[in-house]
Amino acid sequence: MRQGLEARCASHAQATAVATCARCGGFLCGECLEVDDAAPYCEPCLAWRRKNERASGLAWAVMVLGSLAALMVVLLVPVAGSFFLGGDAGWNREVGFQLIVLLTLLLGAASVPSLVLGLWEGWRIRQRKSPRGGQRFVRLGTKLGGAGLAVFVCEALYAVYVAWAVMSANLD
């Protein structure tokens, strides 16, 4: 190939181009070449791509499940407080206890998948198998799921204690 017909790098006129940017089409030398997901990019386009990358569906699911877990905690705390502290919410004790058990089960049903899927998707993002745009969703959803799981375990242990105390009182 003749010297005059070779493509030159857009940033380094003396260097021969080895690739073109997948986004802007600019010529890139070996020094300017950035590879992401097997595609060549220039530095500004790679930064733009990483900034504007969309979250995966799994990252959204983690965020939604974590938010549901937080909602269950927000609903569970006043219901349990009203029930156990003797507040007058207009419920009888059986309905109040059933409501607490239902909210606790819903909390576990949202918390565990949020935590497990959040850890899985976080690993996939670190391995670059999933878009990095979902990192914030995954982090927040996983934290909410973990907090919800902690409340779930405490509520479950407390429910076992209450059941044991009721059964002990009935045996006396």
Side-chain angles (χ1 to χ4, degrees):
M1 187 181 240
R2 291 191 344 230
Q3 185 75 1
L5 297 178
E6 292 179 341
R8 297 290 175 185
C9 175
S11 299
H12 304 102
Q14 74 282 3
T16 304
V18 295
T20 58
C21 177
R23 181 172 177 260
C24 70
F27 291 113
L28 305 168
C29 66
E31 188 178 329
C32 295
L33 178 66
E34 301 280 343
V35 178
D36 190 37
D37 292 335
Y41 291 97
C42 61
E43 188 177 336
C45 288
L46 183 62
W48 179 89
R49 181 172 191 252
R50 287 184 176 163
K51 180 182 174 193
N52 295 308
E53 206 167 23
R54 298 196 184 276
S56 69
L58 189 54
W60 278 98
V62 169
M63 183 63 189
V64 167
L65 288 169
S67 299
L68 286 174
L71 177 65
M72 290 303 119
V73 170
V74 167
L75 292 175
L76 186 62
V77 169
V79 169
S82 176
F83 177 73
F84 288 115
L85 298 176
D88 186 19
W91 308 321
N92 63 27
R93 292 189 75 63
E94 185 177 319
V95 172
F97 189 73
Q98 290 172 352
L99 187 57
I100 291 171
V101 169
L102 175 66
L103 288 172
T104 302
L105 291 174
L106 289 173
L107 174 61
S111 297
V112 173
S114 174
L115 185 60
V116 171
L117 292 175
L119 293 172
W120 171 253
E121 183 66 359
W123 178 83
R124 287 178 43 82
I125 289 171
R126 284 189 301 279
Q127 298 297 316
R128 296 192 178 193
K129 295 179 179 181
S130 196
R132 288 177 294 276
Q135 269 182 328
R136 290 186 312 231
F137 290 158
V138 169
R139 283 185 188 144
L140 183 57
T142 304
K143 288 177 183 177
L144 290 172
L149 185 61
V151 171
F152 170 74
V153 168
C154 291
E155 276 296 318
L157 290 174
Y158 193 70
V160 168
Y161 168 73
V162 168
W164 174 78
V166 168
M167 288 177 60
S168 296
N170 288 340
L171 292 177
D172 292 338

